[in-house]
Amino acid sequence: MLKNSSALDALFTGKSAQGSLQAFFFERGAPFRLQLECTADCSADCAYCYARIMEGNEPLSSREIRGLLRRAAALGIKQIDWMGGDPLERPDWIELMQAARYAGMTNNLWTCGPRLNDVVTAKRVIELTRDGFVSIHLDSLNPNVLRSIRKTYDPQQVQDTISGLELLLEAGKPAHEIANLIMLTAHHTPEDVRKTMEIMYRNHRILTCLMSLKPVDERGLLYAHLPRAEDVNMAYRHRDDIFLGGHSMGCQDFPKQYCGSCLFISMDGKVSSCYSLRRTLGNVREQAFEDIIHANSSSLFYTPYRGSEHAASCTACNKDACWGCRANAFYFGNGVYSDDPLCTHAHSRTDNCPY
């Protein structure tokens, strides 16, 4: 279903130039993508929001982020994923994304969507995400599911998200550069996830990035929202059937080339492997960004895992893309280099899953 020109190719195991470049960085064990959690502000008000539930210090300032962008460019990082919260609710989002563009990096935007329902904002987003993608965040089209997920449910906010998506398309952002994000929780059913993915593709021709909730806060505050392992497996099978032509990527959110060439910086400067795997390996307020990467490259890019028996043990999925979700292994299994215990294809299961 993916086109070779898709900006989302690197998230769906495609063979475009961007996917090939990401794979090249993966093989080198070098960072291709920097995920920046730049704000906790967001009108969606999701009860499980990572940015809001994590204990932390003062958010990174505009000056600090600009400095990180310069360091990222010097390290050869090619893509910046702006995350939150909703980055469009940060007052200086335009200036920050411009700084990334001026440094030669591609902007990708993860937004809950309502602020796109403004022609000036939509056009500015298109300009600043040239060659990159925009991922809106609408977990479901079912009001009952959204009421269960969000602390406050506003039907107008949902309508603004859909209108913002439509305006983004009308203003010129190609559908193959837009996705919807679903965060799979205990409040979903696999059937609702399937319907949402199919409707968003049928009505708007956009793909869906499917993620499953992880207990990133380490205090158990998200356990009540965690999806059942059976539902995780079924939802990802629907994802594979709809968007990957039946080729399985297990319970991974994205292909291993994405995960193994990614860095994440939290709102207060903590460095870890990705948005969903928050084992802190340093803080950019205490060490130089490049020093953190140099000292922890093996952990950041899962070097010990690549040649291990676990990485090669499963033959059920596309081995060119899948090595099991490292975040699932970290939070629910026997460590980041073990099998993914949520995947029914895993050879070893654990009883650590809080279900």
Side-chain angles (χ1 to χ4, degrees), residues 32-296:
F32 174 76
R33 181 185 313 271
L34 174 61
Q35 299 175 327
L36 269 175
E37 184 182 60
C38 61
T39 183
D41 294 335
C42 182
S43 61
D45 202 22
C46 297
Y48 59 76
C49 179
Y50 290 175
R52 294 187 181 185
I53 206 166
M54 295 295 290
E55 293 182 318
N57 298 312
E58 187 73 18
L60 294 170
S61 66
S62 178
R63 181 178 180 181
E64 287 175 310
I65 292 178
R66 286 171 180 271
L68 283 172
L69 294 174
R70 289 192 294 270
R71 290 178 180 271
L75 287 165
I77 291 173
K78 301 300 182 185
Q79 307 237 346
I80 303 293
D81 282 18
W82 296 96
M83 296 178 152
D86 188 343
L88 295 183
E89 297 195 25
R90 183 172 172 126
D92 57 354
W93 69 271
I94 294 175
E95 291 79 8
L96 292 177
M97 291 180 74
Q98 284 176 333
R101 282 286 303 279
Y102 294 155
M105 296 178 289
T106 298
N107 289 309
N108 301 312
L109 175 66
W110 301 76
T111 171
C112 72
R115 299 230 170 179
L116 294 171
N117 193 23
D118 170 80
V119 67
V120 174
T121 300
K123 288 184 175 180
R124 186 59 65 88
V125 165
I126 291 171
E127 172 195 349
L128 291 171
T129 61
R130 189 182 309 147
D131 300 322
F133 64 80
V134 175
S135 175
I136 65 168
H137 181 190
L138 188 55
D139 280 319
S140 177
L141 298 172
N142 185 331
N144 292 327
V145 174
L146 292 178
R147 287 190 186 97
S148 300
I149 291 172
R150 299 183 175 186
K151 292 181 180 179
T152 56
Y153 170 68
D154 181 0
Q156 185 59 52
Q157 196 266 359
V158 176
Q159 183 55 53
D160 286 344
T161 295
I162 295 174
S163 297
L165 165 61
E166 293 171 345
L167 183 56
L168 195 67
L169 289 164
E170 292 170 7
K173 189 69 170 172
H176 63 253
E177 294 183 359
I178 306 173
N180 183 43
L181 167 65
I182 294 177
M183 181 67 83
L184 179 63
T185 71
H187 311 287
H188 290 88
T189 65
E191 181 63 15
D192 178 68
V193 172
R194 183 188 64 79
K195 286 182 178 179
T196 301
M197 291 191 294
E198 288 181 340
I199 290 172
M200 295 297 277
Y201 185 75
R202 183 173 65 245
N203 291 354
H204 307 290
R205 309 307 293 174
I206 67 171
L207 307 177
T208 293
C209 297
L210 179 62
M211 302 176 70
S212 63
L213 192 70
K214 315 291 193 285
V216 299
D217 65 300
E218 300 179 351
R219 294 169 292 163
L221 298 180
L222 291 177
Y223 280 5
H225 299 289
L226 295 175
R228 297 187 311 158
E230 294 82 359
D231 290 346
V232 172
N233 276 272
M234 184 57 67
Y236 278 102
R237 287 177 185 175
H238 290 323
R239 185 273 314 271
D240 294 345
D241 289 342
I242 297 170
F243 299 122
L244 301 184
H247 295 289
S248 182
M249 209 158 63
C251 294
Q252 289 188 181
D253 302 341
F254 307 118
K256 66 182 183 182
Q257 290 83 1
Y258 177 103
C259 304
S261 61
C262 182
L263 299 168
F264 171 74
I265 299 181
S266 71
M267 201 162 51
D268 60 347
K270 298 183 184 73
V271 178
S272 56
S273 301
C274 76
Y275 182 77
S276 294
L277 205 175
R278 301 194 181 208
R279 48 171 185 170
T280 301
L281 299 172
N283 192 304
V284 295
R285 284 175 164 160
E286 299 168 0
Q287 298 171 264
F289 184 36
E290 53 267 38
D291 290 344
I292 296 174
I293 297 173
H294 179 74
N296 297 281

